[in-house]
Amino acid sequence: QKEALAEFLPLDTKNWITCGNALRVDWLSVCPPTGKAVKLRGDDLFSTPLDQSEIDFENETGETFICGNPPYLGSTWQSAEQKADLKTIFDSRTKSWKSLDYVAGWFMKAADYGKHTPTVSAFVSTNSINQGQQVPILWPIIFETGHEIAFAHTSFKWANLASHNAGVTVVIVGIAKDAGKLRSLYSLNEHGDAVLRETGYINAYLVAAGNVIVEKAGNARRDLAAMDYGNKPTDAGGLILSPDEYSALAKSIPENHNILRRFIGSSDAIDGSLRYCLWIEDSDLATVNKYELIAARINSVRKFRSASSKIATVASAKWSHRFQEIRQTGDEITVVIPRHSSESREYLPFSLGSVGAIVADSAFAFYNPYWWNIAIFASRIHLVWIATVCGKIKTDYRYSNTLGWNTFPLPSLTEQNKADLTRCAEEILLAREEHFPATIADLYDPEKMPANLRAAHDRNDETLERIYIGRRFKNDTERLEKLFELYTKMTADVPQRGRIRSSADRLRD
C-alpha cells in the first residue's frame, strides 16, 4: 500500500507545498518556468514578479500542469476581499471585471503564467464563464496571451460528498499556448453517456466552431420583429392594482374602464397571476382626477418620484399619472417574454396578451409582431442559442433581447417559409387554448406537457430546422455548430466584432 501511495503521490523531503492566496501569490515563485532556476538577481528565489532576463536556467526539460478546483462564487456572492483579488488581476485589462465569477481569476493567472513557460492549465469551473456576458469580458483577454482552449467538457451537474454539497453546474476547461491541431471536446448525450469529439477548434462557448464572441446588438435583424422592454411604472405601487383594488375602482368609474388595464410581468405570464394598472392618457387626466381614489394614487406617485435622488425620476413627477418609461400605446397585441425562466422547460415560455394589456418592465415584449417570429422564439434551436450566449442566473435562463434575440442567426426566409412558420405558431397557440385555464407553468411542465402541445412544438421544430439544413438536427451540439457558422457569416463584414447591422424599424402586423 505504501509503495502504491508513493507511486500515486510521490511526496518526500524534496517536495514542498506553498500555502497562500492563489490570486495574490506570484505563480512563478511557486512553479518556476521549465528548467531549474540557478541564478537570480536578488536574494529570494522568485520572491517578486520576474523578468525573463533576470533568470538563468540549466538546460533541463520538464512540463508544468496546473489543475484546480477554485471556489464557485458568482459576482453577487463575492466578499470585499474576493472582489479586491479580482480587481488586482483585471482592473488594468477591463473595466467590466466586476461581472466575472471568482474562478475567472485562476484562468487569468494561469494564462499569465503560461506566457513564461509551456503549460497546460485545467480547472473545474462554474459554467457561467462560458456563457452570456462573461464571455466577451474574459475570453478575449485570455486569447490575447496566445492561449487557446486545448480540451473541455461541456456543462454537467457537479455533486460531492461534502457536508455542503456544491450541487452546481460546471465545466472543465483546459487552456494552452500550444493547443494542438486536434482538441478534445467532451459532453454528455441525452442518455447521460460521455461523448468525445475531436475538433480543430473549441471556442469560448465550448462549441466546436470558430473563434467568435457574440456581443450585444442594438437592433433586431431586418426580418425579425423588434423585441422591446416592458413599461416601467416607478410608482411605489401607486399605479399598480391588485384584483380587489381593480374591482373596487371598476365599480366606481364605469365610464372610464379603459384606464384600467391588465398588467403582465414575467411571473404573471408564467403562473397566470392577475395584476392590473392605471393607464391614464394626458387627455383623461382632468376627468379621472375627480375620483378621490385615483387622485390619491396619482398624488402618492408624485411624492415618491419627487423624493428620489435620481434626476430623471424627479423630472417624471410632473406626469405622475403616467408610467415613467412607456414603450407601447396600449392598443397593441402583446407577446410577453419573461426575462427569467426555469431551465427545466424544453421551450422558452411566452404569453399572448389581449389587446390593451400593458407589459411590465420585468419582461420583454413583441408589440404587434408577425406570427412567424413567435414560431422562431418558441423553437428548440432558439432556446439552445439563448442558453449559450445569454447564460443563466442561478439555474434560470436569463433572456436578453440585445444578446439573444437581436443576434440570433437565421437563414434567409422565403414567403412560403414565413407562411409555414405562421401556421406552426398558430398550431401552438391553438393547442394551448384547448387546455384553458392551464397556465404556462402547467403546460410546459416537462413531466405533464400535453401531447398535442408537444406535437405542435415538434412540428414547429421540424419546419424551422429543415429551413436551416434540409432535415432535423441530430442534437443540440449540431444546432449550436450551425448557429455559430451562420453567426460568423452574418458578422463577417461588420467593423466591430460581433455586432450586427440591421434596421431599427419595428415590424408590425
Side-chain angles (χ1 to χ4, degrees):
Q1 184 177 359
K2 290 182 178 180
E3 292 180 359
L5 183 60
E7 182 70 22
F8 179 73
L9 191 64
L11 294 178
D12 54 34
T13 56
K14 297 179 182 179
N15 297 108
W16 44 271
I17 296 174
T18 297
C19 182
N21 183 337
L23 298 188
R24 297 282 186 165
V25 170
D26 176 15
W27 287 18
L28 289 171
S29 69
V30 179
C31 299
T34 301
K36 180 181 178 182
V38 296
K39 185 173 68 176
L40 175 67
R41 196 175 67 200
D43 296 330
D44 297 324
L45 183 65
F46 292 52
S47 59
T48 58
L50 300 178
D51 185 275
Q52 286 288 65
S53 63
E54 299 176 346
I55 310 169
D56 289 339
F57 296 98
E58 293 180 353
N59 186 21
E60 292 190 0
T61 60
E63 292 180 312
T64 298
F65 287 84
I66 299 174
C67 300
N69 180 9
Y72 299 153
L73 290 169
S75 59
T76 304
W77 295 276
Q78 293 163 15
S79 67
E81 181 181 357
Q82 290 161 341
K83 286 287 188 187
D85 290 340
L86 293 184
K87 181 177 182 179
T88 299
I89 298 170
F90 288 104
D91 200 39
S92 62
R93 311 175 201 249
T94 173
K95 297 306 178 184
S96 302
W97 63 266
K98 292 181 181 179
S99 298
L100 293 173
D101 285 2
Y102 196 43
V103 68
W106 273 261
F107 278 93
M108 198 69 250
K109 291 281 283 190
D112 285 341
Y113 175 78
K115 290 190 294 186
H116 298 282
T117 182
T119 63
V120 176
S121 306
F123 299 102
V124 178
S125 164
T126 41
N127 67 342
S128 46
I129 69 161
N130 297 108
Q131 299 174 346
Q133 63 177 345
Q134 295 196 56
V135 172
I137 298 172
L138 174 64
W139 288 98
I141 301 173
I142 290 177
F143 293 153
E144 284 172 6
T145 68
H147 285 73
E148 294 179 345
I149 297 176
F151 62 89
H153 194 303
T154 59
S155 296
F156 63 96
K157 294 289 185 180
W158 175 271
N160 58 49
L161 299 178
S163 57
H164 299 288
N165 193 321
V168 296
T169 302
V170 300
V171 293
I172 301 172
V173 183
I175 60 173
K177 289 189 73 173
D178 183 9
K181 293 183 178 180
L182 284 179
R183 290 90 187 276
S184 298
L185 181 60
Y186 298 85
S187 60
L188 300 177
N189 64 20
E190 61 271 21
H191 305 295
D193 300 321
V195 177
L196 170 60
R197 170 87 180 275
E198 297 290 349
T199 179
Y201 195 85
I202 301 174
N203 69 18
Y205 300 93
L206 304 189
V207 176
N211 181 16
V212 60
I213 302 293
V214 180
E215 295 187 354
K216 295 178 180 179
N219 301 300
R221 293 181 54 195
R222 188 181 303 276
D223 48 356
L224 288 178
M227 182 186 292
D228 207 345
Y229 285 92
N231 307 272
K232 186 176 182 180
T234 316
D235 64 336
L239 299 176
I240 309 304
L241 308 170
S242 68
D244 289 342
E245 291 169 332
Y246 167 83
S247 297
L249 281 177
K251 291 176 182 177
S252 64
I253 50 171
E255 73 271 27
N256 286 298
H257 274 191
N258 198 44
I259 70 169
L260 303 178
R261 305 290 190 97
R262 174 82 190 278
F263 187 57
I264 310 176
S266 290
S267 59
D268 309 300
I270 292 173
D271 62 28
S273 57
L274 295 176
R275 287 191 297 165
Y276 300 87
C277 69
L278 290 170
W279 190 256
I280 303 171
E281 303 286 352
D282 293 346
S283 57
D284 294 325
L285 182 58
T287 301
V288 301
N289 254 335
K290 67 181 181 180
Y291 297 101
E292 184 177 342
L293 290 176
I294 295 179
R297 283 179 171 272
I298 293 174
N299 191 47
S300 71
V301 176
R302 182 179 298 109
K303 290 181 178 179
F304 172 73
R305 293 181 182 176
S306 297
S308 175
S309 60
K310 298 180 179 179
I311 297 175
T313 302
V314 173
S316 68
K318 297 177 183 178
W319 60 85
S320 298
H321 60 290
R322 290 191 281 119
F323 281 40
Q324 183 186 18
E325 296 179 12
I326 297 175
R327 295 183 174 87
Q328 64 179 112
T329 65
D331 299 324
E332 307 92 342
I333 293 176
T334 57
V335 178
V336 185
I337 311 298
R339 290 167 68 176
H340 300 133
S341 61
S342 172
E343 68 171 355
S344 66
R345 297 189 183 98
E346 298 177 37
Y347 299 95
L348 292 168
F350 70 93
S351 177
L352 183 62
S354 58
V355 174
I358 304 303
V359 182
D361 62 331
S362 64
F364 295 113
F366 292 129
Y367 300 112
N368 286 338
Y370 291 119
W371 292 113
W372 59 265
N373 280 255
I374 297 175
I376 292 169
F377 177 86
S379 66
R380 175 70 188 180
I381 194 170
H382 185 57
L383 180 145
V384 170
W385 179 252
I386 292 304
T388 302
V389 305
C390 292
K392 298 178 181 178
I393 179 168
K394 295 183 179 179
T395 58
D396 290 343
Y397 292 122
R398 176 169 49 193
Y399 200 94
S400 166
N401 59 343
T402 56
L403 193 55
W405 181 253
N406 293 356
T407 65
F408 184 61
L410 187 68
S412 297
L413 301 179
T414 66
E415 291 305 311
Q416 184 59 53
N417 292 152
K418 295 176 182 179
D420 292 340
L421 290 170
T422 295
R423 185 181 66 255
C424 289
E426 291 171 346
E427 289 179 356
I428 289 172
L429 293 171
L430 288 172
R432 286 163 44 156
E433 187 66 23
E434 288 185 27
H435 301 279
F436 178 85
T439 65
I440 297 300
D442 297 329
L443 292 170
Y444 288 89
D445 182 325
E447 302 297 327
K448 302 175 183 178
M449 190 174 182
N452 66 331
L453 179 58
R454 186 180 295 278
H457 272 284
D458 192 62
R459 285 192 294 274
N460 183 57
D461 286 338
E462 179 166 2
T463 300
L464 182 56
E465 292 180 7
R466 286 187 178 279
I467 295 172
Y468 276 90
I469 60 171
R471 60 169 173 80
R472 291 295 298 269
F473 287 103
K474 297 176 183 178
N475 49 42
D476 288 345
T477 298
E478 193 177 27
R479 290 183 178 96
L480 275 176
E481 290 176 4
K482 184 62 179 180
L483 289 172
F484 275 100
E485 175 191 326
L486 288 176
Y487 183 82
T488 301
K489 293 177 180 178
M490 281 166 41
T491 58
D493 62 342
V494 181
Q496 290 180 293
R497 183 190 65 219
R499 300 194 181 279
I500 301 173
R501 286 201 297 262
S502 60
S503 170
D505 295 333
R506 179 175 298 166
L507 298 180
R508 301 294 190 187
D509 245 340

Short mmCIF file of all heavy atoms in Angstrom, two decimals, residues 3 38 162 165 195 211 233 257 287 289 291 296 332 371 374 399 456 467 478 499:
data_model
loop_
_atom_site.label_atom_id
_atom_site.label_comp_id
_atom_site.label_asym_id
_atom_site.label_seq_id
_atom_site.Cartn_x
_atom_site.Cartn_y
_atom_site.Cartn_z
N GLU A 3 3.88 1.50 -1.17
CA GLU A 3 4.51 1.63 -2.49
C GLU A 3 3.52 2.21 -3.50
O GLU A 3 3.89 3.05 -4.33
CB GLU A 3 5.01 0.27 -2.95
CG GLU A 3 6.18 -0.26 -2.12
CD GLU A 3 6.63 -1.62 -2.62
OE1 GLU A 3 6.01 -2.14 -3.57
OE2 GLU A 3 7.60 -2.16 -2.06
N VAL A 38 18.88 28.71 -11.46
CA VAL A 38 20.11 28.54 -10.70
C VAL A 38 20.74 29.87 -10.30
O VAL A 38 21.60 29.91 -9.43
CB VAL A 38 21.13 27.70 -11.49
CG1 VAL A 38 20.61 26.32 -11.71
CG2 VAL A 38 21.46 28.38 -12.82
N ALA A 162 -19.23 16.46 0.33
CA ALA A 162 -19.02 17.43 1.39
C ALA A 162 -20.33 17.70 2.12
O ALA A 162 -21.43 17.45 1.61
CB ALA A 162 -18.48 18.74 0.80
N ASN A 165 -23.01 20.17 0.00
CA ASN A 165 -22.85 19.70 -1.37
C ASN A 165 -22.99 20.87 -2.35
O ASN A 165 -23.96 21.61 -2.30
CB ASN A 165 -23.93 18.64 -1.67
CG ASN A 165 -23.64 17.89 -2.96
OD1 ASN A 165 -23.19 18.46 -3.93
ND2 ASN A 165 -23.91 16.60 -2.95
N VAL A 195 -19.43 11.53 -24.40
CA VAL A 195 -19.16 11.54 -25.84
C VAL A 195 -17.91 12.40 -26.07
O VAL A 195 -17.81 13.51 -25.54
CB VAL A 195 -20.34 12.12 -26.64
CG1 VAL A 195 -20.00 12.20 -28.12
CG2 VAL A 195 -21.60 11.30 -26.41
N ASN A 211 -13.48 30.94 -33.67
CA ASN A 211 -13.28 31.88 -32.56
C ASN A 211 -14.12 33.12 -32.79
O ASN A 211 -13.68 34.09 -33.41
CB ASN A 211 -11.80 32.24 -32.44
CG ASN A 211 -11.53 33.19 -31.29
OD1 ASN A 211 -12.38 33.36 -30.42
ND2 ASN A 211 -10.38 33.82 -31.30
N PRO A 233 -43.14 51.55 -14.25
CA PRO A 233 -44.02 52.49 -13.55
C PRO A 233 -43.29 53.48 -12.63
O PRO A 233 -43.66 54.65 -12.56
CB PRO A 233 -44.95 51.58 -12.74
CG PRO A 233 -44.21 50.30 -12.60
CD PRO A 233 -43.35 50.17 -13.82
N HIS A 257 -63.56 52.64 -17.91
CA HIS A 257 -62.91 51.34 -17.78
C HIS A 257 -61.63 51.23 -18.58
O HIS A 257 -60.76 50.44 -18.26
CB HIS A 257 -63.88 50.23 -18.24
CG HIS A 257 -64.78 49.78 -17.13
ND1 HIS A 257 -65.56 48.67 -17.22
CD2 HIS A 257 -65.00 50.29 -15.89
CE1 HIS A 257 -66.25 48.51 -16.09
NE2 HIS A 257 -65.93 49.49 -15.28
N THR A 287 -60.55 64.29 -16.27
CA THR A 287 -61.74 63.50 -15.95
C THR A 287 -61.51 62.60 -14.75
O THR A 287 -62.34 62.54 -13.84
CB THR A 287 -62.15 62.65 -17.17
OG1 THR A 287 -62.40 63.50 -18.28
CG2 THR A 287 -63.39 61.83 -16.85
N ASN A 289 -59.27 62.80 -12.37
CA ASN A 289 -58.84 63.46 -11.14
C ASN A 289 -60.00 63.74 -10.19
O ASN A 289 -59.80 63.98 -9.00
CB ASN A 289 -58.10 64.76 -11.45
CG ASN A 289 -56.60 64.62 -11.24
OD1 ASN A 289 -56.14 63.78 -10.46
ND2 ASN A 289 -55.82 65.45 -11.93
N TYR A 291 -62.08 61.63 -9.28
CA TYR A 291 -62.28 60.44 -8.46
C TYR A 291 -61.23 60.43 -7.35
O TYR A 291 -60.03 60.39 -7.62
CB TYR A 291 -62.20 59.17 -9.29
CG TYR A 291 -63.29 59.08 -10.34
CD1 TYR A 291 -63.02 59.38 -11.67
CD2 TYR A 291 -64.58 58.70 -9.98
CE1 TYR A 291 -64.02 59.30 -12.63
CE2 TYR A 291 -65.59 58.63 -10.94
CZ TYR A 291 -65.31 58.93 -12.25
OH TYR A 291 -66.30 58.86 -13.19
N ALA A 296 -55.74 60.28 -5.24
CA ALA A 296 -54.83 59.96 -4.14
C ALA A 296 -53.66 59.13 -4.63
O ALA A 296 -52.51 59.31 -4.19
CB ALA A 296 -55.59 59.22 -3.04
N GLU A 332 -51.93 47.59 -28.68
CA GLU A 332 -51.31 46.51 -29.45
C GLU A 332 -51.74 45.14 -28.95
O GLU A 332 -52.21 44.97 -27.83
CB GLU A 332 -49.78 46.58 -29.34
CG GLU A 332 -49.18 47.93 -29.68
CD GLU A 332 -49.02 48.81 -28.45
OE1 GLU A 332 -49.68 48.53 -27.41
OE2 GLU A 332 -48.24 49.77 -28.53
N TRP A 371 -46.53 36.70 -36.85
CA TRP A 371 -46.70 35.45 -36.11
C TRP A 371 -45.55 34.49 -36.34
O TRP A 371 -45.21 33.70 -35.46
CB TRP A 371 -48.03 34.79 -36.49
CG TRP A 371 -49.21 35.59 -36.01
CD1 TRP A 371 -50.12 36.24 -36.78
CD2 TRP A 371 -49.59 35.85 -34.65
NE1 TRP A 371 -51.05 36.88 -36.01
CE2 TRP A 371 -50.75 36.66 -34.69
CE3 TRP A 371 -49.05 35.49 -33.42
CZ2 TRP A 371 -51.38 37.11 -33.54
CZ3 TRP A 371 -49.69 35.93 -32.26
CH2 TRP A 371 -50.84 36.73 -32.33
N ILE A 374 -42.96 34.44 -33.68
CA ILE A 374 -43.28 33.66 -32.48
C ILE A 374 -42.83 32.22 -32.67
O ILE A 374 -42.34 31.57 -31.74
CB ILE A 374 -44.79 33.73 -32.18
CG1 ILE A 374 -45.19 35.17 -31.88
CG2 ILE A 374 -45.16 32.81 -31.02
CD1 ILE A 374 -46.68 35.38 -31.67
N TYR A 399 -32.85 35.76 -20.18
CA TYR A 399 -33.07 36.19 -21.55
C TYR A 399 -32.59 37.63 -21.74
O TYR A 399 -32.73 38.47 -20.86
CB TYR A 399 -34.56 36.10 -21.92
CG TYR A 399 -34.78 36.06 -23.41
CD1 TYR A 399 -34.88 34.86 -24.08
CD2 TYR A 399 -34.82 37.23 -24.15
CE1 TYR A 399 -35.04 34.82 -25.46
CE2 TYR A 399 -34.98 37.21 -25.52
CZ TYR A 399 -35.09 36.00 -26.17
OH TYR A 399 -35.24 35.97 -27.53
N ALA A 456 -47.29 19.97 -31.48
CA ALA A 456 -47.26 21.24 -32.21
C ALA A 456 -45.86 21.85 -32.19
O ALA A 456 -45.38 22.38 -33.20
CB ALA A 456 -48.27 22.21 -31.59
N ILE A 467 -35.49 24.39 -42.73
CA ILE A 467 -35.06 25.62 -43.39
C ILE A 467 -33.56 25.81 -43.22
O ILE A 467 -32.87 26.27 -44.13
CB ILE A 467 -35.84 26.83 -42.82
CG1 ILE A 467 -37.33 26.69 -43.16
CG2 ILE A 467 -35.27 28.14 -43.36
CD1 ILE A 467 -38.21 27.74 -42.49
N GLU A 478 -25.16 19.82 -32.70
CA GLU A 478 -25.23 20.14 -34.12
C GLU A 478 -25.95 21.48 -34.34
O GLU A 478 -25.58 22.26 -35.23
CB GLU A 478 -25.94 19.02 -34.88
CG GLU A 478 -25.79 19.11 -36.38
CD GLU A 478 -26.43 17.95 -37.13
OE1 GLU A 478 -27.40 17.37 -36.60
OE2 GLU A 478 -25.96 17.64 -38.23
N ARG A 499 -20.98 42.57 -33.84
CA ARG A 499 -22.17 43.39 -33.90
C ARG A 499 -22.85 43.21 -35.25
O ARG A 499 -22.23 43.04 -36.28
CB ARG A 499 -21.83 44.87 -33.67
CG ARG A 499 -21.19 45.08 -32.31
CD ARG A 499 -21.17 46.55 -31.94
NE ARG A 499 -20.53 46.74 -30.66
CZ ARG A 499 -21.11 46.58 -29.49
NH1 ARG A 499 -22.36 46.18 -29.45
NH2 ARG A 499 -20.45 46.78 -28.37
#
